[in-house]
Amino acid sequence: MDKRELGGFLRARREALRPADVGLPELAGGRARRTPGLRREEVCDLAGVSANYYERLEQARAPRPSPQVIDAIGRALKLSEAERAHLSRLAGHAPPVRSGEPEKVPPGVLALLDRIGPVAAYVCDARHDMLAWNDLAAALVTDFGALPPAERNVLRLAMRLGPTVCSAPPEAAGGFEAQAAAQSREALTRRPHDSALRRLVGEFAERVPGFAAEWRRNDVRPRATLRKRVDRGELGVLDLDSQTLAVPGSDLRVVMLSAEPGTLAHDKLTRLQLRRTAPAPSSRP
């Protein structure tokens, strides 16, 4: 049980919940609320738990709550399925995942990378290490194969390449930093002894203020689709959809960068793919 993380998560989710979300008035006794979100006693009433015990949970002073208490608090806070699973792990009700040898990418996923048309795709694990990619992803971002294995990491690439990996169009909600923070926090809950991932998160937080701000939000809800802006030099700027699919039974994720057919970005991706697959010119005179 990670008492400090558990307390921080409960407090963040309580403060993010509006009274109207649970059928309570926005005003308290005719006066505006002085603090954001719900009061502790309101959560306790909704969950049917002791106010003193819940306060000690948020202050990291309480003993481990039972699964029944965790379930009641999860319902009171309107947690999503992913957030409830995260809460259970923080409370010590799910065994942590051991961090050992890198996972192997299933053959079917490797085949998918080369079959999906003008879509840049790569596979990464819980540590954000890139384990496989297709030619279009290498052409769009960087030549991953030329990098040392330790540098084939989404967060390290974001620190090195900056906007090529991180930026989002101004109108886009959320962004890469929010996604990375949610995925990293969820992974560290399942892998609390993964010192390599913990160091990487700390380094990224120091280098990227947006990630540090998102990390403090204690959010563990990854977004299925993001908008990403890539500056590809001679091709110009491409606004792409970044979609993430989980590989069942593993910590692997398939990230796909694509554009809607008929758009300029889709045309540019298609040209880039054709350039990668075009046969080399003959060396004969």
PDB file of all heavy atoms in Angstrom, residues 75-102:
ATOM      1  N   ARG A  75     -17.192   4.686  -5.803  1.00  0.00           N
ATOM      2  CA  ARG A  75     -18.529   5.066  -6.279  1.00  0.00           C
ATOM      3  C   ARG A  75     -18.844   6.509  -5.903  1.00  0.00           C
ATOM      4  O   ARG A  75     -19.406   7.264  -6.705  1.00  0.00           O
ATOM      5  CB  ARG A  75     -19.589   4.129  -5.696  1.00  0.00           C
ATOM      6  CG  ARG A  75     -19.566   2.718  -6.272  1.00  0.00           C
ATOM      7  CD  ARG A  75     -20.876   1.989  -5.958  1.00  0.00           C
ATOM      8  NE  ARG A  75     -21.170   1.987  -4.519  1.00  0.00           N
ATOM      9  CZ  ARG A  75     -20.736   1.061  -3.670  1.00  0.00           C
ATOM     10  NH1 ARG A  75     -19.993   0.056  -4.121  1.00  0.00           N
ATOM     11  NH2 ARG A  75     -21.050   1.115  -2.397  1.00  0.00           N
ATOM     12  N   ALA A  76     -18.495   6.896  -4.676  1.00  0.00           N
ATOM     13  CA  ALA A  76     -18.787   8.258  -4.218  1.00  0.00           C
ATOM     14  C   ALA A  76     -18.054   9.299  -5.050  1.00  0.00           C
ATOM     15  O   ALA A  76     -18.588  10.377  -5.321  1.00  0.00           O
ATOM     16  CB  ALA A  76     -18.412   8.399  -2.741  1.00  0.00           C
ATOM     17  N   LEU A  77     -16.847   8.981  -5.468  1.00  0.00           N
ATOM     18  CA  LEU A  77     -16.043   9.923  -6.243  1.00  0.00           C
ATOM     19  C   LEU A  77     -16.293   9.812  -7.748  1.00  0.00           C
ATOM     20  O   LEU A  77     -15.620  10.482  -8.534  1.00  0.00           O
ATOM     21  CB  LEU A  77     -14.555   9.710  -5.952  1.00  0.00           C
ATOM     22  CG  LEU A  77     -14.089  10.069  -4.538  1.00  0.00           C
ATOM     23  CD1 LEU A  77     -12.619   9.696  -4.343  1.00  0.00           C
ATOM     24  CD2 LEU A  77     -14.299  11.547  -4.247  1.00  0.00           C
ATOM     25  N   LYS A  78     -17.231   8.954  -8.145  1.00  0.00           N
ATOM     26  CA  LYS A  78     -17.575   8.797  -9.563  1.00  0.00           C
ATOM     27  C   LYS A  78     -16.358   8.406 -10.403  1.00  0.00           C
ATOM     28  O   LYS A  78     -16.161   8.899 -11.513  1.00  0.00           O
ATOM     29  CB  LYS A  78     -18.186  10.090 -10.125  1.00  0.00           C
ATOM     30  CG  LYS A  78     -19.424  10.571  -9.407  1.00  0.00           C
ATOM     31  CD  LYS A  78     -20.603   9.663  -9.691  1.00  0.00           C
ATOM     32  CE  LYS A  78     -21.885  10.208  -9.079  1.00  0.00           C
ATOM     33  NZ  LYS A  78     -23.052   9.320  -9.319  1.00  0.00           N
ATOM     34  N   LEU A  79     -15.534   7.505  -9.871  1.00  0.00           N
ATOM     35  CA  LEU A  79     -14.323   7.121 -10.571  1.00  0.00           C
ATOM     36  C   LEU A  79     -14.645   6.256 -11.774  1.00  0.00           C
ATOM     37  O   LEU A  79     -15.585   5.454 -11.754  1.00  0.00           O
ATOM     38  CB  LEU A  79     -13.385   6.356  -9.626  1.00  0.00           C
ATOM     39  CG  LEU A  79     -12.886   7.101  -8.388  1.00  0.00           C
ATOM     40  CD1 LEU A  79     -11.862   6.244  -7.651  1.00  0.00           C
ATOM     41  CD2 LEU A  79     -12.289   8.448  -8.740  1.00  0.00           C
ATOM     42  N   SER A  80     -13.833   6.399 -12.804  1.00  0.00           N
ATOM     43  CA  SER A  80     -13.951   5.543 -13.975  1.00  0.00           C
ATOM     44  C   SER A  80     -13.408   4.156 -13.646  1.00  0.00           C
ATOM     45  O   SER A  80     -12.808   3.938 -12.583  1.00  0.00           O
ATOM     46  CB  SER A  80     -13.166   6.143 -15.142  1.00  0.00           C
ATOM     47  OG  SER A  80     -11.772   6.119 -14.862  1.00  0.00           O
ATOM     48  N   GLU A  81     -13.594   3.224 -14.572  1.00  0.00           N
ATOM     49  CA  GLU A  81     -13.081   1.866 -14.357  1.00  0.00           C
ATOM     50  C   GLU A  81     -11.565   1.873 -14.178  1.00  0.00           C
ATOM     51  O   GLU A  81     -11.023   1.194 -13.303  1.00  0.00           O
ATOM     52  CB  GLU A  81     -13.475   0.975 -15.528  1.00  0.00           C
ATOM     53  CG  GLU A  81     -13.059  -0.482 -15.368  1.00  0.00           C
ATOM     54  CD  GLU A  81     -13.521  -1.353 -16.517  1.00  0.00           C
ATOM     55  OE1 GLU A  81     -14.359  -0.890 -17.308  1.00  0.00           O
ATOM     56  OE2 GLU A  81     -13.019  -2.488 -16.627  1.00  0.00           O
ATOM     57  N   ALA A  82     -10.866   2.668 -15.005  1.00  0.00           N
ATOM     58  CA  ALA A  82      -9.408   2.744 -14.885  1.00  0.00           C
ATOM     59  C   ALA A  82      -9.002   3.362 -13.558  1.00  0.00           C
ATOM     60  O   ALA A  82      -8.036   2.920 -12.921  1.00  0.00           O
ATOM     61  CB  ALA A  82      -8.833   3.556 -16.044  1.00  0.00           C
ATOM     62  N   GLU A  83      -9.736   4.368 -13.106  1.00  0.00           N
ATOM     63  CA  GLU A  83      -9.413   5.014 -11.833  1.00  0.00           C
ATOM     64  C   GLU A  83      -9.684   4.088 -10.653  1.00  0.00           C
ATOM     65  O   GLU A  83      -8.938   4.076  -9.668  1.00  0.00           O
ATOM     66  CB  GLU A  83     -10.220   6.300 -11.691  1.00  0.00           C
ATOM     67  CG  GLU A  83      -9.761   7.414 -12.625  1.00  0.00           C
ATOM     68  CD  GLU A  83     -10.706   8.590 -12.632  1.00  0.00           C
ATOM     69  OE1 GLU A  83     -11.945   8.390 -12.512  1.00  0.00           O
ATOM     70  OE2 GLU A  83     -10.223   9.732 -12.758  1.00  0.00           O
ATOM     71  N   ARG A  84     -10.737   3.293 -10.742  1.00  0.00           N
ATOM     72  CA  ARG A  84     -11.013   2.342  -9.656  1.00  0.00           C
ATOM     73  C   ARG A  84      -9.938   1.273  -9.563  1.00  0.00           C
ATOM     74  O   ARG A  84      -9.529   0.880  -8.462  1.00  0.00           O
ATOM     75  CB  ARG A  84     -12.387   1.684  -9.872  1.00  0.00           C
ATOM     76  CG  ARG A  84     -13.547   2.631  -9.671  1.00  0.00           C
ATOM     77  CD  ARG A  84     -14.862   1.876  -9.594  1.00  0.00           C
ATOM     78  NE  ARG A  84     -15.986   2.788  -9.506  1.00  0.00           N
ATOM     79  CZ  ARG A  84     -17.174   2.452  -9.022  1.00  0.00           C
ATOM     80  NH1 ARG A  84     -17.378   1.225  -8.582  1.00  0.00           N
ATOM     81  NH2 ARG A  84     -18.154   3.336  -8.980  1.00  0.00           N
ATOM     82  N   ALA A  85      -9.487   0.795 -10.703  1.00  0.00           N
ATOM     83  CA  ALA A  85      -8.399  -0.184 -10.694  1.00  0.00           C
ATOM     84  C   ALA A  85      -7.137   0.442 -10.098  1.00  0.00           C
ATOM     85  O   ALA A  85      -6.417  -0.205  -9.321  1.00  0.00           O
ATOM     86  CB  ALA A  85      -8.135  -0.680 -12.110  1.00  0.00           C
ATOM     87  N   HIS A  86      -6.866   1.683 -10.456  1.00  0.00           N
ATOM     88  CA  HIS A  86      -5.707   2.398  -9.911  1.00  0.00           C
ATOM     89  C   HIS A  86      -5.840   2.547  -8.394  1.00  0.00           C
ATOM     90  O   HIS A  86      -4.873   2.315  -7.645  1.00  0.00           O
ATOM     91  CB  HIS A  86      -5.624   3.769 -10.580  1.00  0.00           C
ATOM     92  CG  HIS A  86      -4.475   4.605 -10.131  1.00  0.00           C
ATOM     93  ND1 HIS A  86      -3.169   4.341 -10.482  1.00  0.00           N
ATOM     94  CD2 HIS A  86      -4.431   5.727  -9.356  1.00  0.00           C
ATOM     95  CE1 HIS A  86      -2.376   5.250  -9.953  1.00  0.00           C
ATOM     96  NE2 HIS A  86      -3.111   6.103  -9.264  1.00  0.00           N
ATOM     97  N   LEU A  87      -7.021   2.920  -7.924  1.00  0.00           N
ATOM     98  CA  LEU A  87      -7.253   3.079  -6.490  1.00  0.00           C
ATOM     99  C   LEU A  87      -7.037   1.759  -5.747  1.00  0.00           C
ATOM    100  O   LEU A  87      -6.427   1.735  -4.667  1.00  0.00           O
ATOM    101  CB  LEU A  87      -8.679   3.601  -6.265  1.00  0.00           C
ATOM    102  CG  LEU A  87      -9.098   3.851  -4.819  1.00  0.00           C
ATOM    103  CD1 LEU A  87      -8.220   4.912  -4.172  1.00  0.00           C
ATOM    104  CD2 LEU A  87     -10.572   4.275  -4.760  1.00  0.00           C
ATOM    105  N   SER A  88      -7.522   0.661  -6.317  1.00  0.00           N
ATOM    106  CA  SER A  88      -7.339  -0.649  -5.675  1.00  0.00           C
ATOM    107  C   SER A  88      -5.864  -1.007  -5.567  1.00  0.00           C
ATOM    108  O   SER A  88      -5.411  -1.543  -4.544  1.00  0.00           O
ATOM    109  CB  SER A  88      -8.075  -1.734  -6.464  1.00  0.00           C
ATOM    110  OG  SER A  88      -9.473  -1.563  -6.380  1.00  0.00           O
ATOM    111  N   ARG A  89      -5.098  -0.716  -6.615  1.00  0.00           N
ATOM    112  CA  ARG A  89      -3.661  -1.008  -6.558  1.00  0.00           C
ATOM    113  C   ARG A  89      -2.962  -0.143  -5.518  1.00  0.00           C
ATOM    114  O   ARG A  89      -2.087  -0.620  -4.791  1.00  0.00           O
ATOM    115  CB  ARG A  89      -3.037  -0.826  -7.934  1.00  0.00           C
ATOM    116  CG  ARG A  89      -3.342  -1.949  -8.911  1.00  0.00           C
ATOM    117  CD  ARG A  89      -2.508  -1.838 -10.175  1.00  0.00           C
ATOM    118  NE  ARG A  89      -2.961  -0.741 -11.012  1.00  0.00           N
ATOM    119  CZ  ARG A  89      -3.851  -0.866 -11.990  1.00  0.00           C
ATOM    120  NH1 ARG A  89      -4.395  -2.042 -12.236  1.00  0.00           N
ATOM    121  NH2 ARG A  89      -4.208   0.169 -12.716  1.00  0.00           N
ATOM    122  N   LEU A  90      -3.344   1.135  -5.434  1.00  0.00           N
ATOM    123  CA  LEU A  90      -2.741   2.007  -4.428  1.00  0.00           C
ATOM    124  C   LEU A  90      -3.029   1.499  -3.017  1.00  0.00           C
ATOM    125  O   LEU A  90      -2.200   1.633  -2.119  1.00  0.00           O
ATOM    126  CB  LEU A  90      -3.272   3.434  -4.579  1.00  0.00           C
ATOM    127  CG  LEU A  90      -2.790   4.233  -5.794  1.00  0.00           C
ATOM    128  CD1 LEU A  90      -3.474   5.593  -5.832  1.00  0.00           C
ATOM    129  CD2 LEU A  90      -1.275   4.418  -5.772  1.00  0.00           C
ATOM    130  N   ALA A  91      -4.211   0.930  -2.831  1.00  0.00           N
ATOM    131  CA  ALA A  91      -4.595   0.432  -1.510  1.00  0.00           C
ATOM    132  C   ALA A  91      -4.027  -0.955  -1.220  1.00  0.00           C
ATOM    133  O   ALA A  91      -4.262  -1.513  -0.147  1.00  0.00           O
ATOM    134  CB  ALA A  91      -6.117   0.407  -1.386  1.00  0.00           C
ATOM    135  N   GLY A  92      -3.293  -1.524  -2.167  1.00  0.00           N
ATOM    136  CA  GLY A  92      -2.647  -2.811  -1.938  1.00  0.00           C
ATOM    137  C   GLY A  92      -3.529  -4.010  -2.183  1.00  0.00           C
ATOM    138  O   GLY A  92      -3.256  -5.099  -1.661  1.00  0.00           O
ATOM    139  N   HIS A  93      -4.584  -3.853  -2.970  1.00  0.00           N
ATOM    140  CA  HIS A  93      -5.498  -4.966  -3.233  1.00  0.00           C
ATOM    141  C   HIS A  93      -5.280  -5.621  -4.588  1.00  0.00           C
ATOM    142  O   HIS A  93      -6.123  -6.385  -5.051  1.00  0.00           O
ATOM    143  CB  HIS A  93      -6.947  -4.490  -3.120  1.00  0.00           C
ATOM    144  CG  HIS A  93      -7.320  -4.076  -1.731  1.00  0.00           C
ATOM    145  ND1 HIS A  93      -7.172  -4.897  -0.627  1.00  0.00           N
ATOM    146  CD2 HIS A  93      -7.799  -2.893  -1.252  1.00  0.00           C
ATOM    147  CE1 HIS A  93      -7.555  -4.263   0.457  1.00  0.00           C
ATOM    148  NE2 HIS A  93      -7.943  -3.042   0.111  1.00  0.00           N
ATOM    149  N   ALA A  94      -4.191  -5.314  -5.240  1.00  0.00           N
ATOM    150  CA  ALA A  94      -3.831  -5.982  -6.495  1.00  0.00           C
ATOM    151  C   ALA A  94      -2.325  -6.169  -6.495  1.00  0.00           C
ATOM    152  O   ALA A  94      -1.579  -5.251  -6.131  1.00  0.00           O
ATOM    153  CB  ALA A  94      -4.269  -5.153  -7.703  1.00  0.00           C
ATOM    154  N   PRO A  95      -1.839  -7.355  -6.855  1.00  0.00           N
ATOM    155  CA  PRO A  95      -0.390  -7.584  -6.826  1.00  0.00           C
ATOM    156  C   PRO A  95       0.328  -6.712  -7.843  1.00  0.00           C
ATOM    157  O   PRO A  95      -0.152  -6.545  -8.970  1.00  0.00           O
ATOM    158  CB  PRO A  95      -0.251  -9.071  -7.180  1.00  0.00           C
ATOM    159  CG  PRO A  95      -1.502  -9.392  -7.927  1.00  0.00           C
ATOM    160  CD  PRO A  95      -2.575  -8.527  -7.343  1.00  0.00           C
ATOM    161  N   PRO A  96       1.465  -6.119  -7.469  1.00  0.00           N
ATOM    162  CA  PRO A  96       2.215  -5.311  -8.436  1.00  0.00           C
ATOM    163  C   PRO A  96       2.812  -6.181  -9.531  1.00  0.00           C
ATOM    164  O   PRO A  96       3.058  -7.374  -9.336  1.00  0.00           O
ATOM    165  CB  PRO A  96       3.317  -4.677  -7.577  1.00  0.00           C
ATOM    166  CG  PRO A  96       3.501  -5.622  -6.425  1.00  0.00           C
ATOM    167  CD  PRO A  96       2.144  -6.198  -6.153  1.00  0.00           C
ATOM    168  N   VAL A  97       3.042  -5.595 -10.671  1.00  0.00           N
ATOM    169  CA  VAL A  97       3.667  -6.295 -11.786  1.00  0.00           C
ATOM    170  C   VAL A  97       5.172  -6.215 -11.620  1.00  0.00           C
ATOM    171  O   VAL A  97       5.725  -5.153 -11.356  1.00  0.00           O
ATOM    172  CB  VAL A  97       3.257  -5.652 -13.131  1.00  0.00           C
ATOM    173  CG1 VAL A  97       3.966  -6.339 -14.287  1.00  0.00           C
ATOM    174  CG2 VAL A  97       1.749  -5.741 -13.309  1.00  0.00           C
ATOM    175  N   ARG A  98       5.825  -7.322 -11.738  1.00  0.00           N
ATOM    176  CA  ARG A  98       7.280  -7.320 -11.622  1.00  0.00           C
ATOM    177  C   ARG A  98       7.913  -6.727 -12.873  1.00  0.00           C
ATOM    178  O   ARG A  98       7.483  -6.993 -13.987  1.00  0.00           O
ATOM    179  CB  ARG A  98       7.804  -8.748 -11.402  1.00  0.00           C
ATOM    180  CG  ARG A  98       7.389  -9.352 -10.067  1.00  0.00           C
ATOM    181  CD  ARG A  98       8.027 -10.723  -9.873  1.00  0.00           C
ATOM    182  NE  ARG A  98       7.680 -11.300  -8.591  1.00  0.00           N
ATOM    183  CZ  ARG A  98       8.114 -12.483  -8.173  1.00  0.00           C
ATOM    184  NH1 ARG A  98       8.900 -13.219  -8.969  1.00  0.00           N
ATOM    185  NH2 ARG A  98       7.766 -12.942  -6.992  1.00  0.00           N
ATOM    186  N   SER A  99       8.945  -5.931 -12.651  1.00  0.00           N
ATOM    187  CA  SER A  99       9.662  -5.339 -13.789  1.00  0.00           C
ATOM    188  C   SER A  99      10.872  -6.214 -14.086  1.00  0.00           C
ATOM    189  O   SER A  99      11.820  -6.276 -13.327  1.00  0.00           O
ATOM    190  CB  SER A  99      10.106  -3.912 -13.457  1.00  0.00           C
ATOM    191  OG  SER A  99      10.831  -3.879 -12.253  1.00  0.00           O
ATOM    192  N   GLY A 100      10.804  -6.941 -15.182  1.00  0.00           N
ATOM    193  CA  GLY A 100      11.887  -7.843 -15.532  1.00  0.00           C
ATOM    194  C   GLY A 100      12.355  -7.626 -16.951  1.00  0.00           C
ATOM    195  O   GLY A 100      12.624  -6.516 -17.364  1.00  0.00           O
ATOM    196  N   GLU A 101      12.427  -8.712 -17.713  1.00  0.00           N
ATOM    197  CA  GLU A 101      12.895  -8.630 -19.086  1.00  0.00           C
ATOM    198  C   GLU A 101      11.891  -7.877 -19.955  1.00  0.00           C
ATOM    199  O   GLU A 101      10.687  -7.915 -19.697  1.00  0.00           O
ATOM    200  CB  GLU A 101      13.091 -10.047 -19.649  1.00  0.00           C
ATOM    201  CG  GLU A 101      14.229 -10.808 -18.994  1.00  0.00           C
ATOM    202  CD  GLU A 101      15.574 -10.159 -19.226  1.00  0.00           C
ATOM    203  OE1 GLU A 101      15.819  -9.694 -20.363  1.00  0.00           O
ATOM    204  OE2 GLU A 101      16.369 -10.073 -18.278  1.00  0.00           O
ATOM    205  N   PRO A 102      12.357  -7.194 -20.992  1.00  0.00           N
ATOM    206  CA  PRO A 102      11.441  -6.493 -21.895  1.00  0.00           C
ATOM    207  C   PRO A 102      10.445  -7.467 -22.520  1.00  0.00           C
ATOM    208  O   PRO A 102      10.764  -8.623 -22.791  1.00  0.00           O
ATOM    209  CB  PRO A 102      12.373  -5.900 -22.957  1.00  0.00           C
ATOM    210  CG  PRO A 102      13.722  -5.846 -22.311  1.00  0.00           C
ATOM    211  CD  PRO A 102      13.768  -7.004 -21.364  1.00  0.00           C
TER     212      PRO A 102
END
